[in-house]
Amino acid sequence: MAIECLVLGAGQEVGKSCVVVTINGKRIMFDCGMHMGYDDHRRYPDFSLISKSRDFDHSLDCVIITHFHLDHVGALPYFTEVCGYNGPIYMTYPTKALAPLMLEDFRKVLVDRRGEEEQFTSLHISQCMQKVIAIDLKQTLQVDDDLQIRAYYAGHVLGAAMFYAKVGESAMVYTGDYNMTPDRHLGAAQIDRLELDLLITESTYATTIRDSKYAREREFLKAVHECVAGGGKVLIPTFALGRAQELCILLDDYWERMNLKVPIYFSAGLTIQANMYYKILISWTSQKIKETYATRNAFDFKHVHNFDRSLINAPGPCVLFATPGMISGGFSLEVFKQWAPCEMNLITLPGYCVAGTVGHKLMSGKPTKIVLDKDTQIDVRCQIHQLSFSPHTDSKGIMDLARFLSPKNVILVHGEKPKMVSLKERIQSELRIPCYLPANCDTVHIPSTTYVKAHASNAFIRSCLNPNFRFLKRSTEENSDQVLRNTNSTAPLQVNDERVAEGILIMEKGKKTRVVHQDDLLLMLRQKKHDIQFGYCCAAQLDNLEETGNRDGALSHSDKCSCLQLLFKELSNYFSGVNIQDLGEHLQVESFQVSVCLKDNCPYRIIDSPRKEAATIFFCCSWSAADEKLAREIISAIERFNLSDNLPCKNSK
Amino acid sequence: MEHHLLHICLQSLKDNNNPPSLQALASLRSLIINPNTSDSTIYSILKTLTHSLQLSTNSLTTHHHILKLLTDLASHRTHLSSQILNSIHSSSLLFTESTQIAAESLTSLASFSNSDQNKIDDQLFMSLCFAATSASARLRLLRNGERLGIGTHMLFTVFLGFTKDPYPYVRKASLDGLLGLCKSCDLFEDISVTEGCYYRAVELLQDNEHSVRSAAIRVVCEWGQMLIAAKEGNDKIAQSNQVFVQICSMVRDMSVEVRVEAFNALGKIKLVSEDILLQTISKKVLAILKEKNSHGQCTAERFEILASSYAGAFMHGLEDEFHEVRKSACNSLRIHTILYAEFARRSLSLLMDMLNDDSMAVRLEALEALHHMATFDCLNVQEIHMHMFLGSLLDSCDLIRSTARKIFKLVKLPDLKLFRLSIHGLLQNLERYSKDEADVFSVLFFMGRSHGNFAARIVKEVSQEIEPVLEGQLGLDSARVAAFLVLAISAPLSQNQNGQIIPPRLFSYAVTLLGRISCALSEVVDQDTLLAYLSQCSRSSTLGAEVEVESLLPVVDDVVLTRTKKDVNNPAEAPMLQTGNETSKVQPVTSCELEYIATSIVECQADELDEVMKSVNLILARVRDAWLLVQSRCTNVALRALRDCKRELAMLTSASLESSGAMAFTLQYLQVMKLFAKIWEHAVWKIRSNGTGGLEYLFGKLDMRLRELRYRYIGFSKEEELYVLELIAVACMLRLSKVEISCSPTTMKKLSAIISHIEILNDKGSIEPSNILMDAKKTVHEIESSKAGISCSLFLITNLDDFFTLKQFSLCSRVRHINAELNVPGNDSENPLRFVSGLPVAIPLDITLYNVSSENRLWLTMRMSEESTQFVFLDLNILGGCNEVRKFTFMAPFYRTLKACSFSLWISIGMECALEDCHILKHCGGPRRDLVYLFQEKEVHLCLVRRG
């Protein structure tokens, strides 16, 4: 079994995210986006690679959309309505609510402004949306018997989610776009520690490490505050969703704290409508907004009023949010024309502006004049402040997520190739996780874990239930790494509780696989347990044994005991730290046993001619394999002993 | 009923063949829990239950029920618990079958009685632990391990072993147990044991369950600290770093709980290398550190991996989504900021950014951190910070504003621009929240004092604003002007005020706002000191005597400084104490402070006399101000002011005799002035007309005090002596002015004697006699000439006003105080002296005399009642000793012993007033003139000697 990952879009590029993953036979399409940079066939993912016969209903089990941005959802109506996919589509509630707005807006721009032939109609959009099944955060959805999906909070935009998919024992996460640092209005991505075979992550900022956004916020607030304090007007051109709310919360909060009375305006239109969605979808916002919701809705801005065109030239300071974000036209351009010539005013620009827009011209150097068309020229004397808030995670965030999840494999998508290469190397070297960067239309094969079902015997289960820990002492050789402050450095003392180690896996042909406890095995095989014992009969010097009066050589019982006691004494002296037990007939150290050997030809004796007159006494030793080392030491010690010197003088009288 | 029930139930239990019915058990239970059930019944229940517990024929469920009932019984009758425990214990053979139940019963038994009785032996505990197949039973055993009285070693082994349990809650419980054990650290002499536990916890940092991870962080932190404590020298720091980095790896955990725990733990590690700390506030791996490492221990790649594991740890904490985490991060960052200058500098920017946080708690915590830095003098504010920093002065939350102001009190600003910005911010604060006025003034005072030069510059710039605008009207109502005045008056107190002179009139403007300003500065200086300071500054400069101001300033400054130092230091030390043992690097900071204070004390002592004289004169100056209040009929206020003076005087301690003389004089003078004030109220304003009795009493007291003032001090300069005499004259005149008691011949006589004395003095020198004396002389002549008793001339009073207003009395000579100490050794009411009635008794007295010369005639007075006083003359020529201090033991004979079992004597020492008129006193052999007493009477107890 393996996981197969076919990248249809966003492979080594940004745009038209679309990845088809096959896990244990189940096929899931993650995202279905369009590329905004192309007008031709490259705009959409090449769906034919999924199925030559274009029978998508059978070749795909489901489609999952992570968030409402067009490069993630743009191709969906086309795929369902034009290409004819009728299977389930999953997305979060906010995405389901906001995606049609975005699609409709895009369609309008395409058809009405650029006059292009439309790829899909309004009807297509609504029909497509009817096929969508909404999913909630952390809700586990059983797509069919085997496939299970779950959504996790991803930050980024309202309703963005990372998706976990599991088939059998193989599991993976597709992140979509996400943000590891929280915004004011959105939280940071949040996911459980999962056992994953594969993580597919975006890598928009594969090499950037972003500083704290606080500095940027501070500068923004300072610029705005100073402008309004000086009686100027502030124009903030923004996109309707996300950034507008973010900045508005920032300003509203500041206004509240500083007790400022200067009005903040929202230009009518999409922004207001978007605010409404935000108000409804509170549970998808950041912790702070959720907390304040009990007292008031954070999107009911206290200081924000609706803007009226008549207010453009009203005296006094004000702050205005206007769409579109890059001053490419519309209301923001209209206001810009009026306000730009005054030095007191301030225009804030988003971090990124498409070439050709007024925003882009303002960003590139500080022009004094902007020529709109041959009739219109604008004198730009106002201040310009640039601020960039990106809702994508930076490379540290990607690394942190990968470290936290510790998947078996990582695939990078949604990024620029050179940067992705460097990130890939970091993941491989720092995290030691294999990492892939497939290009569009490439397929990556990943081995997945195979699981075999086995029946466990009762004894095994019982032994697993009972704690069974042991302490191991590690030699301290490995501790030289201390200077490196190695996180893996190990302690000399370790706890070991390997209950499974006592189990035995039995795989027989034609029978079910079983796990039994080692005690069961004997029963099953009707065998007895065999222990390997080692035996050795060693000789010890015993000089003045003659004096004891037993010249015939046969040692009496009492002599035997006294010999053993002698030995016990010697051994105790020699191995001071070892626990030696005197059990009368024999001495015992761990599994090592020693007793006086009285046989003439003991099978374990190597020295075959006992020199009786030299007063040698034989000790029969036995031990099990585990104590081999100890046994060897004791035996060599015994052989070196001369028990004569301190023979008890009991019998010498 | 009870017995009936019992009978049925017990029958059912004893029936071995059938399990007891639930009903019977329920009835038993009702008997057990009913508090009215008789003891005998309870005992028989207990007996039966214990018995049936031993039966092996019971089924598992029966066992369960019986154990449950026994537990209930123990919980309701606690005195039986140990007995019940024993019985459960003894039936432990059966536990193999029902370990869980047994474990539960044992633990619940343990939970409601104290641990001494509940000890179960280690072996049983161990066997229970290993036999407990259900996780909940293990959990209960682990949680109650300590309560069951298990030995620490055994517990440690069990806890450590169970960190491998498959159930996360068991793992958590054992980690919690290990955490608890770390406090009883007697068993951990063996470092490998500590290490074993620490590394096991480190392994569990990677656990899948967040509750386990956060428990593991706590264990890593606490046991890590034990490891650190066990190491020495460089190893200590290395170990400390290792623990710190280990915990840092957890700050990116997905669970809030874990992150909060991690930051809490980071704050507990005290000594961390600077490079690691620096790396924790930068997400990028710092180049400097890479270089540093280049000659170091590991490969560059290895190092980078390592560094990236803790890079930006604090940054992440500060920009966390959850305010709990941000707060915790701020808090632990605070601990580390004061260690290294560079780290302090860099983390300052982060903390300043936190002032823009949306959570009030976080903003407050950040401000607290800044305050902490300011207290340890490592807060170097840059211009870039000012917007946020000043923003917190305008915060809508009171607490935030006041905390921010607390920082401004301590902050040191590098240049005028920042100072101006700060003052501007404070003024805005004042403008918007007028209720903050007092605190803002106080901050301005502090800032002005620490940045005198800047303050003077600012005051100069805005002096236009302060000056009277329209028709000479001051814009003093405006808080802004008041604020500038506060700044102005604080500037001269600064050490770094280089010759920038604040126009003296500003001080007099400030006087008009005295109440407002002194209220604001109440923690630094009291109103009177402030007034003295202000009037000194304004007055002396109008006279053109700059030098005097200069010389006076340090006094005020010192008083202010030392007091503020104390005030400021205390809050700084408080958090230090909270955090427990600070690291070695921190201590120098505080000890430095202490050293500073100590040296200033030494300097003070060196110049003590001068200091005391200065302070005394300041107080004397305030007396005059107080007199102004008397004249404006605010006697109560005046009296309060005088009392304040007294209190202040009491605070001046002195070691030398000379300064104590001056102080004693001042005290006496204050008392005299108080009496004057009171009499004034009666005699002049006639506000209180509670009869002459009260007035007569006051006059009497005044006379006595004045007499003491005149005779008990020596070494007056001529001016001083004159002043004292004038005071006496005034007292006489006041007495005369009072109709009822006027024209008393003694008073007249006294007055004329004083006047002639003054004249004699004046003849010698060239001092102009004051108007009042001229008037007094006139009056005396008038009265004497008229010989009538109607010369209650009130015109005198107007001049008296002048006398006190115009005359500024100051003490400049070394006044010495004639004083005595008297002690009856070993005598008190319990140990009286023995006497035989009718025979004289000798009373041993330890006498110390100060500044008594041989010319003084001293009398020992021994008073039994008003009527009978015995005088004994102390001949100083015989007693010997020098003039300054004479110390001797004197056996005073007392002749008139009573026929009583016991009585007490009142002993004192009086000095004859040399210049008073001779009285023919009734006591023969006694003093011829009035006496001034040198100390309060002392009681001597005497007791009849018993025979046998």
Side-chain angles (χ1 to χ4, degrees), chain B residues 327-379:
Chain B
K327 187 166 173 255
S328 175
C330 275
N331 187 32
S332 53
L333 188 59
R334 171 175 85 175
I335 309 295
H336 298 288
T337 44
I338 52 171
L339 290 181
Y340 307 102
E342 177 65 12
F343 182 65
R345 195 180 64 76
R346 292 197 196 184
S347 48
L348 180 61
S349 305
L350 290 180
L351 284 171
M352 284 289 182
D353 283 339
M354 293 317 285
L355 299 181
N356 192 28
D357 198 276
D358 46 40
S359 154
M360 203 267 281
V362 178
R363 292 204 299 274
L364 203 59
E365 194 68 52
L367 282 171
E368 290 294 347
L370 291 176
H371 185 248
H372 187 70
M373 288 170 77
T375 338
F376 287 94
D377 209 14
C378 49
L379 183 75

Side-chain angles (χ1 to χ4, degrees), chain B residues 734-749:
Chain B
L734 272 173
R735 202 184 254 267
L736 285 173
S737 74
K738 203 70 189 155
V739 186
E740 293 91 334
I741 47 169
S742 68
C743 305
S744 130
T746 33
T747 317
M748 279 305 296
K749 226 162 130 188

